[in-house]
Amino acid sequence: MAFAFVVGACSSGGTATTSPSEETPASVEPSVEASVAPSEAAFPEGDISLLLWTKEGEADGSLQYVQKLAADYSTLHPNVTIEVVNKDVEALREDFQTASLAGEAPEILWTVADHIGPFTSADLILPLDGLVDKASFVPAAAAAVTADDTLLGVPVSFGNQLMLYWNKDLAGDAAPADSDAWVAAAKPLTTGDNYGIVFNQTESFWLIPFLGGYGGSVFADDGKTPTLDTDAMKSALQFMYDLKYTDKVTPAEADYNVADGLFKDGKAAYIINGDWTLNAYAETLGDKLGVGPLPAMTGGQDPSPYIAGAFLMVGKGVGDDADKQTVVADFLNYASSKDSQVDMVKTLKRLPGNAEAIADPIVTGDALLAGAAEAAQKGTPQPTNLEMRCIFASVTAGVRDMFTGNSDIAGITATMQTSAETCIAQL
C-alpha cells in the first residue's frame, strides 16, 4: 500500500550543528574510534555508467548541487559517467521498487531515511558496512540509517528537523521562553492578513514535535505497536487546535506553500518549518532571521521533532558487478568526505553528516547553523520501519480532520489508533 505523506515534501536535507559555544554537542560528537576501513580495490579502467535518482529539487539549488557533485567526480574519473535524475520522494520510492523488480534499478539513490523500511523489507538495497567507514559519520546521523546493526545509508546531511524561524523585525531578537510566551507574543501580531504563527496544517509531520513535548511517541517500546490514542496525543492535538480556533494566531487554512509564502513575504512573525529551508530564509530575510528550537511546552517539556536527513543508498544489484561496486563505493566516500560536506554547507546551509565537517568552523561559527544544531539536538530519530508509513497516514488523516474544525479530540485519537492498527495488520 502506498501512502503519500509529507516527510517527503519537506524532506530535504538536514543539518546538525554545534552549539554557539563552538563545541560539538554531545548528540553529534564525532566518533574517533577506528572501524573497519572500506576495501581499496583497484579503480576500474573501463567505462562505467551510473544512474543516480535524487529527491533534491531545483527550487533551493539542491538538485544543482547534486549535479555538480556528480560532474566533479566525473572530472576526477573521466571513465565514469553519472546521470542525475530528480524524482519526487514518493515517486522515487515507487519507481525504485518497480525498476528493481524489472532489473532496471538505478545504482544510487539520494533519498530519505524512511525509505529504508520498504526497501529492506523487499530486499532492494545493499548493506554498506564494507564500503564506507561508519566511524566517519556523526553517530546520530548513522544511527538514523542503521537497522539490525547494519548500515544501509550514507549520511549526506543531518537534521531534517522542524524548528522555529522568526522575523526579528516583527518578533524581536530572542525566541519565546515557552509556549505560553510564544502564543502571547503572536496574538498582537495577528491582524488583517498578517499572522503570528504559520505552519503546514495538512500533514502529521508538524504534529510530531508537540507529541514529544507532552511526553508521547507514536510507538510502544517494541517500536511497532501504535500508541496514538493517548493523553499525550490528545494534548498535542488540543494545543494545535487552540492555536487556530481559540488563540486565533494562525491563518484559517495553510498548507506548506501558503505558510512558506506568508513568512517570506513578511506577513508572518513565526513559522514552524524544517532545516531544509534555512538557506532560502537566510537569503530572503538576511540578518532579520532568527532560528532555534521550538519553545518548550509550558508545563511540559521540549518539543521533539523527528531528525533524519538525506542519505545515499545503493541498489542491491550493484553487488553483482565488482567494478561497478568499486566505483559506487568510491563515489559514496567522495560525496561524504569532509571537503565535499563542507562545500555542501557553504552551498545549501545544511548540517553535514560527516563528523569532521560538523566540527569545522564553517558550522561552529555560523549563528543560524548553531540554532539549527540546537534544534536537532532536541530531536529524536525518525523510525524507519515499515509500520511508520501507517502511522503517518493515520495521523495525517486525524490532523486534517482536526484542522477542519472537529473539536472531538478524543474521537480523533481513537480513530487514528484504529486506522493505524488496521493498516499495520495488512502490511
Side-chain angles (χ1 to χ4, degrees):
M1 299 177 67
F3 294 106
F5 57 96
V6 156
V7 172
C10 350
S11 272
S12 276
T15 333
T17 300
T18 53
S19 64
S21 66
E22 297 193 12
E23 296 178 354
T24 305
S27 62
V28 295
E29 183 176 356
S31 170
V32 295
E33 297 180 2
S35 77
V36 179
S39 60
E40 297 185 359
F43 200 87
E45 296 181 356
D47 291 339
I48 301 286
S49 295
L50 303 176
L51 178 59
L52 186 159
W53 286 358
T54 179
K55 68 176 183 61
E56 306 295 351
E58 294 183 354
D60 61 353
S62 55
L63 175 60
Q64 293 89 327
Y65 170 78
V66 178
Q67 292 170 331
K68 182 178 183 300
L69 188 72
D72 289 347
Y73 184 82
S74 293
T75 298
L76 292 173
H77 302 284
N79 64 317
V80 178
T81 302
I82 303 177
E83 179 185 359
V84 176
V85 176
N86 161 256
K87 287 181 177 285
D88 171 82
V89 172
E90 279 302 288
L92 187 150
R93 179 186 63 79
E94 294 170 359
D95 291 352
F96 180 68
Q97 290 171 318
T98 301
S100 295
L101 291 174
E104 299 174 350
E107 287 79 12
I108 306 171
L109 300 175
W110 183 305
T111 188
V112 294
D114 56 284
H115 282 171
I116 284 181
F119 290 167
T120 54
S121 66
D123 194 25
L124 302 181
I125 55 177
L126 194 68
L128 302 179
D129 292 287
L131 303 184
V132 295
D133 181 4
K134 187 174 180 178
S136 67
F137 307 122
V138 174
V145 283
T146 298
D148 297 327
D149 295 324
T150 300
L151 184 69
L152 298 164
V154 169
V156 178
S157 61
F158 171 62
N160 203 54
Q161 75 284 349
L162 291 172
M163 52 190 181
L164 187 68
Y165 294 93
W166 66 94
N167 185 325
K168 292 181 180 179
D169 277 356
L170 301 175
D173 291 339
D178 56 28
S179 59
D180 280 356
W182 184 27
V183 172
K187 285 182 177 180
L189 298 171
T190 306
T191 58
D193 60 350
N194 295 298
Y195 301 95
I197 300 171
V198 297
F199 55 88
N200 185 354
Q201 299 177 11
T202 69
E203 299 292 345
S204 56
F205 197 62
W206 274 254
L207 173 69
I208 294 298
F210 301 111
L211 175 62
Y214 287 105
S217 63
V218 299
F219 288 123
D221 291 342
D222 64 3
K224 295 182 178 181
T225 303
T227 53
L228 305 181
D229 189 13
T230 61
D231 288 343
M233 179 64 82
K234 292 170 186 174
S235 295
L237 282 168
Q238 188 67 56
F239 174 74
M240 299 188 82
Y241 179 92
D242 288 344
L243 288 178
K244 181 173 180 177
Y245 293 104
T246 303
D247 302 313
K248 299 181 178 179
V249 294
T250 71
E253 295 181 357
D255 60 10
Y256 184 90
N257 291 329
V258 168
D260 180 67
L262 286 168
F263 188 69
K264 287 179 177 176
D265 291 343
K267 293 183 177 296
Y270 300 98
I271 187 171
I272 305 169
N273 210 346
D275 67 342
W276 56 83
T277 194
L278 176 62
N279 195 38
Y281 288 169
E283 290 180 355
T284 301
L285 274 72
D287 58 8
K288 299 177 184 178
L289 181 65
V291 179
L294 291 165
M297 306 309 296
T298 304
Q301 56 197 49
D302 288 327
S304 182
Y306 278 152
I307 54 174
F311 303 89
L312 289 164
M313 300 177 194
V314 177
K316 189 172 183 180
V318 169
D320 298 329
D321 186 323
D323 284 350
K324 191 167 283 189
Q325 179 172 297
T326 296
V327 174
V328 167
D330 191 65
F331 177 76
L332 297 180
N333 284 284
Y334 172 79
S336 61
S337 67
K338 178 184 178 182
D339 288 346
S340 293
Q341 295 269 275
V342 166
D343 185 56
M344 181 197 69
V345 176
K346 293 177 182 177
T347 305
L348 301 179
K349 269 195 179 299
R350 294 184 185 174
L351 293 170
N354 178 280
E356 288 185 286
I358 206 167
D360 190 89
I362 189 71
V363 174
T364 60
D366 187 302
L368 296 181
L369 288 176
E374 186 181 358
Q377 292 176 68
K378 297 180 185 296
T380 186
Q382 179 177 313
T384 59
N385 55 312
L386 200 59
E387 290 84 356
M388 192 63 205
R389 302 186 64 79
C390 294
I391 297 295
F392 275 126
S394 301
V395 178
T396 290
V399 166
R400 293 179 180 179
D401 187 20
M402 181 267 291
F403 274 127
T404 60
N406 185 355
S407 61
D408 181 12
I409 302 299
I412 292 173
T413 59
T415 299
M416 290 194 305
Q417 179 72 22
T418 301
S419 174
E421 289 174 348
T422 301
C423 173
I424 290 171
Q426 296 173 346
L427 289 175

